[in-house]
PDB file of all heavy atoms in Angstrom:
ATOM      1  N   PHE A 327       3.817  10.419   7.659  1.00  0.00           N
ATOM      2  CA  PHE A 327       4.347  11.605   8.327  1.00  0.00           C
ATOM      3  C   PHE A 327       3.399  12.110   9.417  1.00  0.00           C
ATOM      4  O   PHE A 327       3.858  12.624  10.447  1.00  0.00           O
ATOM      5  CB  PHE A 327       4.609  12.709   7.299  1.00  0.00           C
ATOM      6  CG  PHE A 327       5.941  12.591   6.611  1.00  0.00           C
ATOM      7  CD1 PHE A 327       6.253  11.480   5.831  1.00  0.00           C
ATOM      8  CD2 PHE A 327       6.895  13.589   6.737  1.00  0.00           C
ATOM      9  CE1 PHE A 327       7.471  11.361   5.202  1.00  0.00           C
ATOM     10  CE2 PHE A 327       8.126  13.480   6.105  1.00  0.00           C
ATOM     11  CZ  PHE A 327       8.421  12.364   5.341  1.00  0.00           C
ATOM     12  N   GLN A 328       2.104  11.990   9.196  1.00  0.00           N
ATOM     13  CA  GLN A 328       1.135  12.457  10.184  1.00  0.00           C
ATOM     14  C   GLN A 328       1.088  11.548  11.411  1.00  0.00           C
ATOM     15  O   GLN A 328       1.043  12.019  12.550  1.00  0.00           O
ATOM     16  CB  GLN A 328      -0.251  12.548   9.548  1.00  0.00           C
ATOM     17  CG  GLN A 328      -0.386  13.660   8.528  1.00  0.00           C
ATOM     18  CD  GLN A 328      -1.680  13.583   7.733  1.00  0.00           C
ATOM     19  OE1 GLN A 328      -2.486  12.664   7.930  1.00  0.00           O
ATOM     20  NE2 GLN A 328      -1.883  14.523   6.830  1.00  0.00           N
ATOM     21  N   ARG A 329       1.109  10.240  11.173  1.00  0.00           N
ATOM     22  CA  ARG A 329       1.010   9.287  12.279  1.00  0.00           C
ATOM     23  C   ARG A 329       2.312   9.146  13.054  1.00  0.00           C
ATOM     24  O   ARG A 329       2.304   8.976  14.281  1.00  0.00           O
ATOM     25  CB  ARG A 329       0.578   7.920  11.734  1.00  0.00           C
ATOM     26  CG  ARG A 329      -0.859   7.854  11.248  1.00  0.00           C
ATOM     27  CD  ARG A 329      -1.842   7.839  12.412  1.00  0.00           C
ATOM     28  NE  ARG A 329      -1.665   6.653  13.239  1.00  0.00           N
ATOM     29  CZ  ARG A 329      -2.269   5.483  13.013  1.00  0.00           C
ATOM     30  NH1 ARG A 329      -3.104   5.356  11.982  1.00  0.00           N
ATOM     31  NH2 ARG A 329      -2.070   4.464  13.811  1.00  0.00           N
ATOM     32  N   TYR A 330       3.432   9.220  12.333  1.00  0.00           N
ATOM     33  CA  TYR A 330       4.725   8.991  12.979  1.00  0.00           C
ATOM     34  C   TYR A 330       5.741  10.054  12.561  1.00  0.00           C
ATOM     35  O   TYR A 330       6.672   9.780  11.801  1.00  0.00           O
ATOM     36  CB  TYR A 330       5.252   7.590  12.637  1.00  0.00           C
ATOM     37  CG  TYR A 330       4.276   6.501  13.000  1.00  0.00           C
ATOM     38  CD1 TYR A 330       3.527   5.856  12.008  1.00  0.00           C
ATOM     39  CD2 TYR A 330       4.064   6.132  14.325  1.00  0.00           C
ATOM     40  CE1 TYR A 330       2.616   4.869  12.339  1.00  0.00           C
ATOM     41  CE2 TYR A 330       3.147   5.147  14.661  1.00  0.00           C
ATOM     42  CZ  TYR A 330       2.426   4.518  13.662  1.00  0.00           C
ATOM     43  OH  TYR A 330       1.511   3.545  13.991  1.00  0.00           O
ATOM     44  N   PRO A 331       5.573  11.298  13.054  1.00  0.00           N
ATOM     45  CA  PRO A 331       6.525  12.359  12.711  1.00  0.00           C
ATOM     46  C   PRO A 331       7.901  12.073  13.319  1.00  0.00           C
ATOM     47  O   PRO A 331       8.015  11.559  14.440  1.00  0.00           O
ATOM     48  CB  PRO A 331       5.887  13.608  13.330  1.00  0.00           C
ATOM     49  CG  PRO A 331       5.009  13.093  14.427  1.00  0.00           C
ATOM     50  CD  PRO A 331       4.495  11.767  13.953  1.00  0.00           C
ATOM     51  N   LYS A 332       8.964  12.388  12.542  1.00  0.00           N
ATOM     52  CA  LYS A 332      10.334  12.156  12.987  1.00  0.00           C
ATOM     53  C   LYS A 332      11.234  13.273  12.472  1.00  0.00           C
ATOM     54  O   LYS A 332      10.884  13.974  11.517  1.00  0.00           O
ATOM     55  CB  LYS A 332      10.850  10.803  12.476  1.00  0.00           C
ATOM     56  CG  LYS A 332      10.197   9.589  13.111  1.00  0.00           C
ATOM     57  CD  LYS A 332      10.859   8.311  12.609  1.00  0.00           C
ATOM     58  CE  LYS A 332      10.271   7.081  13.285  1.00  0.00           C
ATOM     59  NZ  LYS A 332      10.953   5.828  12.842  1.00  0.00           N
ATOM     60  N   PRO A 333      12.424  13.450  13.074  1.00  0.00           N
ATOM     61  CA  PRO A 333      13.377  14.450  12.572  1.00  0.00           C
ATOM     62  C   PRO A 333      13.803  14.137  11.138  1.00  0.00           C
ATOM     63  O   PRO A 333      13.745  12.988  10.690  1.00  0.00           O
ATOM     64  CB  PRO A 333      14.564  14.311  13.538  1.00  0.00           C
ATOM     65  CG  PRO A 333      13.980  13.734  14.792  1.00  0.00           C
ATOM     66  CD  PRO A 333      12.885  12.812  14.322  1.00  0.00           C
ATOM     67  N   LEU A 334      14.274  15.161  10.425  1.00  0.00           N
ATOM     68  CA  LEU A 334      14.635  15.011   9.018  1.00  0.00           C
ATOM     69  C   LEU A 334      15.762  14.013   8.791  1.00  0.00           C
ATOM     70  O   LEU A 334      15.851  13.395   7.728  1.00  0.00           O
ATOM     71  CB  LEU A 334      15.034  16.373   8.441  1.00  0.00           C
ATOM     72  CG  LEU A 334      13.957  17.453   8.430  1.00  0.00           C
ATOM     73  CD1 LEU A 334      14.496  18.737   7.810  1.00  0.00           C
ATOM     74  CD2 LEU A 334      12.722  16.978   7.685  1.00  0.00           C
ATOM     75  N   GLY A 335      16.626  13.835   9.773  1.00  0.00           N
ATOM     76  CA  GLY A 335      17.755  12.936   9.613  1.00  0.00           C
ATOM     77  C   GLY A 335      17.449  11.481   9.889  1.00  0.00           C
ATOM     78  O   GLY A 335      18.313  10.611   9.711  1.00  0.00           O
ATOM     79  N   GLU A 336      16.220  11.170  10.289  1.00  0.00           N
ATOM     80  CA  GLU A 336      15.823   9.793  10.566  1.00  0.00           C
ATOM     81  C   GLU A 336      15.437   9.075   9.268  1.00  0.00           C
ATOM     82  O   GLU A 336      15.098   9.721   8.268  1.00  0.00           O
ATOM     83  CB  GLU A 336      14.651   9.772  11.541  1.00  0.00           C
ATOM     84  CG  GLU A 336      15.011  10.227  12.949  1.00  0.00           C
ATOM     85  CD  GLU A 336      15.990   9.278  13.609  1.00  0.00           C
ATOM     86  OE1 GLU A 336      15.693   8.071  13.694  1.00  0.00           O
ATOM     87  OE2 GLU A 336      17.057   9.761  14.029  1.00  0.00           O
ATOM     88  N   PRO A 337      15.479   7.731   9.264  1.00  0.00           N
ATOM     89  CA  PRO A 337      15.123   6.999   8.026  1.00  0.00           C
ATOM     90  C   PRO A 337      13.689   7.269   7.594  1.00  0.00           C
ATOM     91  O   PRO A 337      12.793   7.446   8.426  1.00  0.00           O
ATOM     92  CB  PRO A 337      15.323   5.528   8.415  1.00  0.00           C
ATOM     93  CG  PRO A 337      15.306   5.499   9.908  1.00  0.00           C
ATOM     94  CD  PRO A 337      15.859   6.813  10.345  1.00  0.00           C
ATOM     95  N   LEU A 338      13.486   7.299   6.279  1.00  0.00           N
ATOM     96  CA  LEU A 338      12.143   7.544   5.755  1.00  0.00           C
ATOM     97  C   LEU A 338      11.190   6.427   6.174  1.00  0.00           C
ATOM     98  O   LEU A 338      10.079   6.686   6.620  1.00  0.00           O
ATOM     99  CB  LEU A 338      12.194   7.659   4.229  1.00  0.00           C
ATOM    100  CG  LEU A 338      10.854   7.838   3.507  1.00  0.00           C
ATOM    101  CD1 LEU A 338      10.098   9.042   4.050  1.00  0.00           C
ATOM    102  CD2 LEU A 338      11.070   7.964   2.002  1.00  0.00           C
ATOM    103  N   PHE A 339      11.639   5.181   6.029  1.00  0.00           N
ATOM    104  CA  PHE A 339      10.829   4.024   6.410  1.00  0.00           C
ATOM    105  C   PHE A 339      11.533   3.267   7.528  1.00  0.00           C
ATOM    106  O   PHE A 339      12.764   3.127   7.511  1.00  0.00           O
ATOM    107  CB  PHE A 339      10.613   3.102   5.206  1.00  0.00           C
ATOM    108  CG  PHE A 339      10.079   3.796   3.989  1.00  0.00           C
ATOM    109  CD1 PHE A 339      10.813   3.831   2.806  1.00  0.00           C
ATOM    110  CD2 PHE A 339       8.845   4.437   4.019  1.00  0.00           C
ATOM    111  CE1 PHE A 339      10.322   4.473   1.681  1.00  0.00           C
ATOM    112  CE2 PHE A 339       8.350   5.095   2.894  1.00  0.00           C
ATOM    113  CZ  PHE A 339       9.097   5.114   1.729  1.00  0.00           C
ATOM    114  N   SER A 340      10.765   2.770   8.477  1.00  0.00           N
ATOM    115  CA  SER A 340      11.350   2.056   9.601  1.00  0.00           C
ATOM    116  C   SER A 340      10.391   0.988  10.109  1.00  0.00           C
ATOM    117  O   SER A 340       9.258   0.884   9.647  1.00  0.00           O
ATOM    118  CB  SER A 340      11.697   3.036  10.732  1.00  0.00           C
ATOM    119  OG  SER A 340      10.517   3.692  11.192  1.00  0.00           O
ATOM    120  N   ARG A 341      10.858   0.195  11.053  1.00  0.00           N
ATOM    121  CA  ARG A 341      10.037  -0.818  11.694  1.00  0.00           C
ATOM    122  C   ARG A 341      10.143  -0.656  13.200  1.00  0.00           C
ATOM    123  O   ARG A 341      10.999   0.086  13.693  1.00  0.00           O
ATOM    124  CB  ARG A 341      10.482  -2.217  11.259  1.00  0.00           C
ATOM    125  CG  ARG A 341      11.942  -2.467  11.468  1.00  0.00           C
ATOM    126  CD  ARG A 341      12.452  -3.752  10.845  1.00  0.00           C
ATOM    127  NE  ARG A 341      12.128  -4.928  11.623  1.00  0.00           N
ATOM    128  CZ  ARG A 341      12.839  -6.050  11.587  1.00  0.00           C
ATOM    129  NH1 ARG A 341      13.906  -6.136  10.799  1.00  0.00           N
ATOM    130  NH2 ARG A 341      12.494  -7.080  12.310  1.00  0.00           N
ATOM    131  N   SER A 342       9.295  -1.337  13.923  1.00  0.00           N
ATOM    132  CA  SER A 342       9.263  -1.164  15.373  1.00  0.00           C
ATOM    133  C   SER A 342      10.573  -1.580  16.027  1.00  0.00           C
ATOM    134  O   SER A 342      11.040  -0.948  16.985  1.00  0.00           O
ATOM    135  CB  SER A 342       8.116  -1.989  15.973  1.00  0.00           C
ATOM    136  OG  SER A 342       6.874  -1.559  15.456  1.00  0.00           O
ATOM    137  N   TYR A 343      11.171  -2.653  15.517  1.00  0.00           N
ATOM    138  CA  TYR A 343      12.425  -3.126  16.085  1.00  0.00           C
ATOM    139  C   TYR A 343      13.308  -3.680  14.967  1.00  0.00           C
ATOM    140  O   TYR A 343      12.852  -4.491  14.171  1.00  0.00           O
ATOM    141  CB  TYR A 343      12.168  -4.225  17.123  1.00  0.00           C
ATOM    142  CG  TYR A 343      13.420  -4.793  17.719  1.00  0.00           C
ATOM    143  CD1 TYR A 343      14.134  -4.097  18.694  1.00  0.00           C
ATOM    144  CD2 TYR A 343      13.916  -6.022  17.280  1.00  0.00           C
ATOM    145  CE1 TYR A 343      15.303  -4.604  19.228  1.00  0.00           C
ATOM    146  CE2 TYR A 343      15.092  -6.548  17.805  1.00  0.00           C
ATOM    147  CZ  TYR A 343      15.782  -5.827  18.783  1.00  0.00           C
ATOM    148  OH  TYR A 343      16.940  -6.333  19.304  1.00  0.00           O
ATOM    149  N   GLY A 344      14.553  -3.228  14.916  1.00  0.00           N
ATOM    150  CA  GLY A 344      15.478  -3.722  13.911  1.00  0.00           C
ATOM    151  C   GLY A 344      15.495  -2.866  12.658  1.00  0.00           C
ATOM    152  O   GLY A 344      14.693  -1.942  12.497  1.00  0.00           O
ATOM    153  N   PRO A 345      16.426  -3.170  11.758  1.00  0.00           N
ATOM    154  CA  PRO A 345      16.578  -2.377  10.529  1.00  0.00           C
ATOM    155  C   PRO A 345      15.484  -2.684   9.504  1.00  0.00           C
ATOM    156  O   PRO A 345      14.953  -3.789   9.457  1.00  0.00           O
ATOM    157  CB  PRO A 345      17.949  -2.796  10.012  1.00  0.00           C
ATOM    158  CG  PRO A 345      18.111  -4.205  10.495  1.00  0.00           C
ATOM    159  CD  PRO A 345      17.447  -4.246  11.843  1.00  0.00           C
TER     160      PRO A 345
END
Side-chain angles (χ1 to χ4, degrees):
F327 276 62
Q328 290 170 359
R329 290 286 297 272
Y330 304 105
K332 291 184 177 182
L334 298 181
E336 291 295 304
L338 177 55
F339 308 118
S340 61
R341 54 189 282 206
S342 299
Y343 178 77

